Amino acid sequence: MQRPTIKTIAQETGLSIATVSKALKSSPQVRPETRAIVVAAAERVGYELNMHGVQLRTGKTYQVAAIMTAPGPKQQEWEGVEYAQLLSGISWALEDSPYRVSLYAVRNFEESLATIRQIVALKKADGIIVSGTRADDPRIRIMQAADFPFVTYGTTIHNDAHAYVDADNEQMIRRSVARLVERGHRRIALINPLADLSYAITRLAAYRQALDVAGLAFDPVLVAHDRLTPAFGRESVLAMSRLPDPPTAYICANEASALGAFSGFHERGLVHGRDAVINATDDLNVSQYFAPPITTYFLPIHEPSELLGSYILRRMEGEPPEALQALIMPRLIERSDDRVTPKR
Amino acid sequence: MQRPTIKTIAQETGLSIATVSKALKSSPQVRPETRAIVVAAAERVGYELNMHGVQLRTGKTYQVAAIMTAPGPKQQEWEGVEYAQLLSGISWALEDSPYRVSLYAVRNFEESLATIRQIVALKKADGIIVSGTRADDPRIRIMQAADFPFVTYGTTIHNDAHAYVDADNEQMIRRSVARLVERGHRRIALINPLADLSYAITRLAAYRQALDVAGLAFDPVLVAHDRLTPAFGRESVLAMSRLPDPPTAYICANEASALGAFSGFHERGLVHGRDAVINATDDLNVSQYFAPPITTYFLPIHEPSELLGSYILRRMEGEPPEALQALIMPRLIERSDDRVTPKR
DNA sequence: ACAAAGAAGTTAAACGTTTTTATTTTGATA
DNA sequence: TATCAAAATAAAAACGTTTAACTTCTTTGT
């Protein structure tokens, strides 16, 4: 009992395989009645399109490559990136399409570059979704040069226009800083991602602007850049809290680093709300379980991820990249007053 | 400038495509010298095997389906399952093979069942990796009935022998309980995953046995089953801590629920180490940043995940499932004394 | 009534491989 | 040197689909 093909249907209906093929894709070249007959036969024999034939014939792969940069096995630090949810969101957005998500796990930027180069050159996918964008991202130039459909999770600064989805980091930081300033903070630390990531730069710029607006001086010792692990959050607090004029507020770029910051507080004997406060950008919805719960800007990860999925679909259908750009504003969740009792 | 095919090489070398094909896969039917010529030509023209042709011809897909059960968008609770690391571990294990990881995100058990049924029936992959096994798992029966290669992350209890990778939950719980008993605990809570998951059952059984060994009575109110979110950990502590005879130790099945348990402590004014302690099973390496750090059984997730990858490869090559079973014993990391000061 | 145009369907080729079968070449033996 | 088996290579078919080019039939306009 072989799996039925269009040939099976052709025999079944007495039509040619060409007509069957056209009928199944509702070509206008075939009469509605004929089409009905074909569809009925297909149904009857339990026909399912064999993608391998299609792929060979058309050259399309029906794969969307998701490039996931995960640290190697030795660095087992949790970075709090809910890639899983990101991937499932993308996957669900593609659910009703013939496309599948194909995973490319890479260890670092260079590997992602090489991988993308290969996917583009050998056409191993029809579209690419890539995250961890840099200010001037060579991967994007490669894809653009080859006219290859892609969407980034994260903006860029010096690249030509492309499709992207991102949180509105600028607004978020500006408002974060302004809010803390309103509550009396004068020394605000920025726990930022790796310096070459585009959103690190955006956040830093917004931070400086917001300080400017508030009439506060920018102090480079209050800014730290690194991979957003709990260790990094912890180290930052340990270091900054022993400054002569330590920060009274820490803005952490994610929840993993915020958790680490708490660990630093604990180590130093700092009390949240008395000595300093922690704010964060949140996509796991987990900060509410911190002790105490902290104020965050929350962006449920399924929003950007589903957008990424639908954007790549539209991009592969030829929509211009300019139409496929979204900055999503996370919403403020105030879980703490975030004032500190003035130092005596 | 077309992409070179074996035809290109055939013209280049004056050989037939059949010989080229055989030469490239080092068939003994072709002379070493001829093979050398072909390989050189392939190199020269930059030939890369086109999988679509292979797939159509051989019926193999060169895809390994990873079934990932992620909760739907509405349930945005973090479950602490590092699927991302799991997936990347698998992906890396397949790196040097022609296989790719194809992602199937499903919302629940029923969907995973349907998805697996489809993959098996339509041969959309050559192998399947599935997690969240149940005591008697119908998905496994489907794959076994079709003689379809698969590996599970998690054991089963009532199914026929199959390839699996899992943490040694039984040992882990037994030792956990014994250790806590040694430290004077008499009321030990078990914060367990969903009751129908196989490892929930294993853990519960081990827990009961360990209590037995220690001469302690089993009290069902000290056991809770649910999705391992922080919310669940929190609720469990809130509920159990107001029992007439509350637990002095909580064994949490993962770090997400442990984090929630901390949140419950905070809410109730419980102090870790004075009123009760929290232990956990850990695969994110994040418990060290809790305040205070807690004792865990730690299993770096890349170990099981790389094993999953290599097992599925070997399984697809026909190795018998009995040879592909691994229980990994997580290692104890004592970060806290875990005694509690006796209630006065 | 008849050519032209349009509609609906068929034929055949092609995508890049693998593999079965057929053919040629090689080298050893008589 | 002819013969034959073995070794090496070539020819051809097949996997399932799409699509360009062609054929047949129907409709339309003059």
Side-chain angles (χ1 to χ4, degrees), chain A residues 75-80 191 224 226-239 254-264, chain B residues 284-290:
Chain A
Q75 297 164 301
Q76 326 158 337
E77 283 278 333
W78 181 54
E79 291 197 59
I191 308 304
D226 208 336
R227 287 174 48 225
L228 295 171
T229 60
F232 170 49
R234 180 183 154 96
E235 297 308 325
S236 301
V237 167
L238 292 184
N254 74 349
E255 294 176 289
S257 55
L259 180 67
F262 261 109
S263 165
Chain B
L284 298 185
N285 206 5
V286 103
S287 312
Q288 56 182 304
Y289 298 104
F290 289 177

Short mmCIF file of all heavy atoms in Angstrom, two decimals, chain A residues 75-80 191 224 226-239 254-264, chain B residues 284-290:
data_model
loop_
_atom_site.label_atom_id
_atom_site.label_comp_id
_atom_site.label_asym_id
_atom_site.label_seq_id
_atom_site.Cartn_x
_atom_site.Cartn_y
_atom_site.Cartn_z
N GLN A 75 29.65 27.27 29.10
CA GLN A 75 29.05 28.43 29.77
C GLN A 75 27.60 28.12 30.10
O GLN A 75 26.70 28.43 29.32
CB GLN A 75 29.06 29.64 28.84
CG GLN A 75 30.44 30.08 28.46
CD GLN A 75 30.38 30.99 27.26
OE1 GLN A 75 29.90 30.62 26.21
NE2 GLN A 75 30.85 32.21 27.44
N GLN A 76 27.40 27.52 31.24
CA GLN A 76 26.04 27.09 31.53
C GLN A 76 25.28 28.13 32.32
O GLN A 76 24.46 27.82 33.16
CB GLN A 76 26.05 25.79 32.31
CG GLN A 76 27.20 24.89 31.93
CD GLN A 76 27.52 23.90 33.01
OE1 GLN A 76 27.20 24.13 34.17
NE2 GLN A 76 28.12 22.80 32.64
N GLU A 77 25.59 29.37 32.04
CA GLU A 77 24.87 30.40 32.77
C GLU A 77 23.54 30.70 32.07
O GLU A 77 23.48 30.85 30.86
CB GLU A 77 25.71 31.67 32.82
CG GLU A 77 26.83 31.61 33.83
CD GLU A 77 26.35 31.93 35.25
OE1 GLU A 77 25.35 32.65 35.38
OE2 GLU A 77 26.96 31.45 36.21
N TRP A 78 22.56 30.81 32.86
CA TRP A 78 21.24 31.11 32.33
C TRP A 78 21.20 32.55 31.87
O TRP A 78 21.54 33.46 32.61
CB TRP A 78 20.21 30.89 33.43
CG TRP A 78 18.80 31.15 33.02
CD1 TRP A 78 18.13 30.62 31.96
CD2 TRP A 78 17.85 31.99 33.69
NE1 TRP A 78 16.85 31.06 31.93
CE2 TRP A 78 16.66 31.91 32.99
CE3 TRP A 78 17.93 32.79 34.83
CZ2 TRP A 78 15.51 32.61 33.37
CZ3 TRP A 78 16.80 33.48 35.21
CH2 TRP A 78 15.61 33.38 34.49
N GLU A 79 20.79 32.76 30.64
CA GLU A 79 20.71 34.13 30.16
C GLU A 79 19.29 34.65 30.10
O GLU A 79 19.03 35.75 29.64
CB GLU A 79 21.39 34.27 28.79
CG GLU A 79 22.89 34.10 28.91
CD GLU A 79 23.62 34.63 27.68
OE1 GLU A 79 23.48 35.81 27.37
OE2 GLU A 79 24.32 33.84 27.05
N GLY A 80 18.39 33.81 30.52
CA GLY A 80 17.03 34.29 30.65
C GLY A 80 16.33 34.60 29.34
O GLY A 80 15.25 35.17 29.33
N ILE A 191 22.33 48.38 33.78
CA ILE A 191 22.92 47.05 33.56
C ILE A 191 22.52 46.64 32.16
O ILE A 191 21.39 46.22 31.91
CB ILE A 191 22.38 46.06 34.61
CG1 ILE A 191 22.56 46.62 36.02
CG2 ILE A 191 23.09 44.71 34.46
CD1 ILE A 191 23.99 47.01 36.36
N ALA A 224 27.25 49.21 32.94
CA ALA A 224 28.00 47.97 32.73
C ALA A 224 27.44 47.23 31.52
O ALA A 224 26.22 47.23 31.29
CB ALA A 224 27.91 47.09 33.97
N ASP A 226 27.59 43.49 29.47
CA ASP A 226 28.04 42.10 29.43
C ASP A 226 26.89 41.18 29.04
O ASP A 226 25.77 41.64 28.83
CB ASP A 226 28.61 41.68 30.79
CG ASP A 226 29.67 40.60 30.65
OD1 ASP A 226 29.65 39.87 29.64
OD2 ASP A 226 30.52 40.50 31.56
N ARG A 227 27.18 39.89 28.94
CA ARG A 227 26.11 38.92 28.72
C ARG A 227 25.18 38.96 29.93
O ARG A 227 25.62 39.00 31.07
CB ARG A 227 26.68 37.51 28.55
CG ARG A 227 27.38 37.32 27.19
CD ARG A 227 28.05 35.96 27.12
NE ARG A 227 27.14 34.92 27.55
CZ ARG A 227 27.46 33.94 28.38
NH1 ARG A 227 28.68 33.84 28.85
NH2 ARG A 227 26.54 33.06 28.74
N LEU A 228 23.89 38.90 29.65
CA LEU A 228 22.90 39.17 30.69
C LEU A 228 22.64 37.96 31.59
O LEU A 228 21.50 37.50 31.71
CB LEU A 228 21.60 39.65 30.06
CG LEU A 228 21.73 41.01 29.35
CD1 LEU A 228 20.46 41.32 28.56
CD2 LEU A 228 22.02 42.10 30.37
N THR A 229 23.65 37.49 32.23
CA THR A 229 23.50 36.37 33.14
C THR A 229 23.25 36.88 34.54
O THR A 229 23.51 38.05 34.85
CB THR A 229 24.79 35.55 33.18
OG1 THR A 229 25.85 36.41 33.63
CG2 THR A 229 25.16 35.03 31.81
N PRO A 230 22.77 36.01 35.42
CA PRO A 230 22.65 36.40 36.82
C PRO A 230 24.02 36.82 37.39
O PRO A 230 24.12 37.79 38.14
CB PRO A 230 22.16 35.13 37.50
CG PRO A 230 21.45 34.38 36.44
CD PRO A 230 22.18 34.69 35.16
N ALA A 231 25.06 36.11 36.98
CA ALA A 231 26.40 36.45 37.48
C ALA A 231 26.74 37.90 37.19
O ALA A 231 27.28 38.62 38.04
CB ALA A 231 27.44 35.53 36.82
N PHE A 232 26.41 38.34 36.01
CA PHE A 232 26.70 39.71 35.62
C PHE A 232 25.93 40.71 36.49
O PHE A 232 26.50 41.70 36.98
CB PHE A 232 26.37 39.90 34.14
CG PHE A 232 26.40 41.32 33.66
CD1 PHE A 232 27.49 42.14 33.94
CD2 PHE A 232 25.35 41.83 32.91
CE1 PHE A 232 27.52 43.46 33.48
CE2 PHE A 232 25.37 43.13 32.44
CZ PHE A 232 26.46 43.95 32.73
N GLY A 233 24.66 40.44 36.72
CA GLY A 233 23.87 41.33 37.57
C GLY A 233 24.46 41.40 38.97
O GLY A 233 24.58 42.48 39.58
N ARG A 234 24.87 40.26 39.44
CA ARG A 234 25.43 40.19 40.78
C ARG A 234 26.73 40.97 40.88
O ARG A 234 26.91 41.82 41.76
CB ARG A 234 25.67 38.71 41.13
CG ARG A 234 26.25 38.45 42.48
CD ARG A 234 26.51 36.95 42.65
NE ARG A 234 27.57 36.73 43.61
CZ ARG A 234 27.34 36.47 44.91
NH1 ARG A 234 26.10 36.41 45.34
NH2 ARG A 234 28.34 36.30 45.73
N GLU A 235 27.62 40.68 39.95
CA GLU A 235 28.92 41.36 39.97
C GLU A 235 28.75 42.88 39.88
O GLU A 235 29.45 43.64 40.54
CB GLU A 235 29.79 40.89 38.79
CG GLU A 235 30.15 39.41 38.82
CD GLU A 235 30.77 38.99 40.15
OE1 GLU A 235 31.51 39.81 40.74
OE2 GLU A 235 30.49 37.86 40.61
N SER A 236 27.81 43.29 39.04
CA SER A 236 27.61 44.73 38.86
C SER A 236 27.21 45.38 40.17
O SER A 236 27.72 46.43 40.54
CB SER A 236 26.54 44.98 37.80
OG SER A 236 26.92 44.39 36.58
N VAL A 237 26.28 44.74 40.86
CA VAL A 237 25.84 45.30 42.14
C VAL A 237 27.00 45.30 43.14
O VAL A 237 27.25 46.29 43.84
CB VAL A 237 24.64 44.51 42.70
CG1 VAL A 237 24.39 44.87 44.16
CG2 VAL A 237 23.40 44.79 41.87
N LEU A 238 27.71 44.18 43.19
CA LEU A 238 28.82 44.10 44.13
C LEU A 238 29.82 45.23 43.87
O LEU A 238 30.30 45.89 44.81
CB LEU A 238 29.53 42.74 44.02
CG LEU A 238 28.71 41.53 44.49
CD1 LEU A 238 29.53 40.26 44.43
CD2 LEU A 238 28.16 41.76 45.90
N ALA A 239 30.10 45.47 42.60
CA ALA A 239 31.08 46.50 42.27
C ALA A 239 30.52 47.91 42.52
O ALA A 239 31.14 48.74 43.19
CB ALA A 239 31.53 46.36 40.82
N ASN A 254 17.33 42.48 31.74
CA ASN A 254 16.41 41.33 31.72
C ASN A 254 16.24 40.79 33.13
O ASN A 254 16.83 41.31 34.09
CB ASN A 254 16.89 40.25 30.75
CG ASN A 254 18.07 39.48 31.29
OD1 ASN A 254 18.68 39.88 32.28
ND2 ASN A 254 18.40 38.38 30.64
N GLU A 255 15.49 39.72 33.24
CA GLU A 255 15.19 39.21 34.57
C GLU A 255 16.30 38.36 35.15
O GLU A 255 16.44 38.25 36.36
CB GLU A 255 13.89 38.42 34.51
CG GLU A 255 12.72 39.32 34.19
CD GLU A 255 11.44 38.53 34.03
OE1 GLU A 255 11.33 37.82 33.02
OE2 GLU A 255 10.59 38.63 34.91
N ALA A 256 17.09 37.77 34.27
CA ALA A 256 18.20 36.97 34.77
C ALA A 256 19.19 37.88 35.50
O ALA A 256 19.62 37.58 36.62
CB ALA A 256 18.89 36.25 33.61
N SER A 257 19.52 38.98 34.87
CA SER A 257 20.47 39.90 35.52
C SER A 257 19.84 40.53 36.76
O SER A 257 20.53 40.79 37.75
CB SER A 257 20.95 40.96 34.53
OG SER A 257 19.87 41.65 33.96
N ALA A 258 18.54 40.76 36.73
CA ALA A 258 17.86 41.31 37.90
C ALA A 258 17.93 40.33 39.07
O ALA A 258 18.17 40.72 40.22
CB ALA A 258 16.41 41.64 37.57
N LEU A 259 17.75 39.06 38.74
CA LEU A 259 17.86 38.05 39.80
C LEU A 259 19.25 38.08 40.41
O LEU A 259 19.43 38.02 41.64
CB LEU A 259 17.58 36.66 39.21
CG LEU A 259 17.66 35.50 40.19
CD1 LEU A 259 16.53 35.60 41.21
CD2 LEU A 259 17.60 34.16 39.47
N GLY A 260 20.25 38.19 39.54
CA GLY A 260 21.62 38.28 40.02
C GLY A 260 21.83 39.53 40.86
O GLY A 260 22.56 39.51 41.87
N ALA A 261 21.21 40.61 40.46
CA ALA A 261 21.33 41.84 41.23
C ALA A 261 20.79 41.63 42.64
O ALA A 261 21.40 42.07 43.63
CB ALA A 261 20.58 42.97 40.53
N PHE A 262 19.69 40.93 42.75
CA PHE A 262 19.15 40.61 44.07
C PHE A 262 20.15 39.84 44.90
O PHE A 262 20.33 40.06 46.09
CB PHE A 262 17.87 39.78 43.93
CG PHE A 262 16.62 40.59 44.04
CD1 PHE A 262 15.83 40.82 42.93
CD2 PHE A 262 16.24 41.14 45.26
CE1 PHE A 262 14.68 41.58 43.04
CE2 PHE A 262 15.09 41.90 45.37
CZ PHE A 262 14.31 42.13 44.26
N SER A 263 20.80 38.90 44.21
CA SER A 263 21.80 38.10 44.90
C SER A 263 22.91 38.99 45.44
O SER A 263 23.41 38.81 46.55
CB SER A 263 22.36 37.04 43.93
OG SER A 263 23.54 36.48 44.41
N GLY A 264 23.29 40.01 44.64
CA GLY A 264 24.28 40.98 45.09
C GLY A 264 23.78 41.77 46.31
O GLY A 264 24.53 42.00 47.26
N LEU B 284 19.22 24.84 35.41
CA LEU B 284 19.63 26.14 34.87
C LEU B 284 20.83 26.72 35.58
O LEU B 284 21.40 27.70 35.14
CB LEU B 284 18.48 27.15 35.02
CG LEU B 284 17.21 26.81 34.29
CD1 LEU B 284 16.24 27.96 34.45
CD2 LEU B 284 17.52 26.57 32.84
N ASN B 285 21.17 26.15 36.71
CA ASN B 285 22.32 26.66 37.44
C ASN B 285 22.02 28.06 37.98
O ASN B 285 22.86 28.94 37.98
CB ASN B 285 23.53 26.72 36.51
CG ASN B 285 24.82 26.63 37.27
OD1 ASN B 285 24.79 26.43 38.48
ND2 ASN B 285 25.92 26.80 36.59
N VAL B 286 20.82 28.26 38.41
CA VAL B 286 20.38 29.60 38.75
C VAL B 286 20.07 29.70 40.24
O VAL B 286 20.00 30.78 40.80
CB VAL B 286 19.16 29.97 37.87
CG1 VAL B 286 17.87 29.87 38.62
CG2 VAL B 286 19.34 31.35 37.28
N SER B 287 19.96 28.56 40.89
CA SER B 287 19.59 28.55 42.30
C SER B 287 20.67 29.19 43.17
O SER B 287 20.41 29.62 44.29
CB SER B 287 19.40 27.13 42.80
OG SER B 287 18.60 26.40 41.93
N GLN B 288 21.87 29.24 42.62
CA GLN B 288 22.95 29.84 43.39
C GLN B 288 22.73 31.34 43.56
O GLN B 288 23.37 31.98 44.38
CB GLN B 288 24.29 29.59 42.70
CG GLN B 288 24.31 30.09 41.27
CD GLN B 288 25.64 29.78 40.59
OE1 GLN B 288 26.68 30.15 41.07
NE2 GLN B 288 25.54 29.07 39.47
N TYR B 289 21.84 31.89 42.76
CA TYR B 289 21.59 33.33 42.86
C TYR B 289 20.35 33.64 43.68
O TYR B 289 19.94 34.78 43.78
CB TYR B 289 21.47 33.94 41.47
CG TYR B 289 22.76 33.79 40.70
CD1 TYR B 289 22.89 32.84 39.70
CD2 TYR B 289 23.86 34.56 41.05
CE1 TYR B 289 24.09 32.67 39.04
CE2 TYR B 289 25.07 34.40 40.39
CZ TYR B 289 25.17 33.46 39.39
OH TYR B 289 26.37 33.30 38.74
N PHE B 290 19.74 32.62 44.21
CA PHE B 290 18.62 32.88 45.09
C PHE B 290 19.17 33.46 46.38
O PHE B 290 20.36 33.34 46.70
CB PHE B 290 17.84 31.59 45.38
CG PHE B 290 17.05 31.09 44.20
CD1 PHE B 290 16.34 29.90 44.28
CD2 PHE B 290 17.01 31.80 43.01
CE1 PHE B 290 15.62 29.43 43.20
CE2 PHE B 290 16.28 31.33 41.91
CZ PHE B 290 15.59 30.14 42.02
#
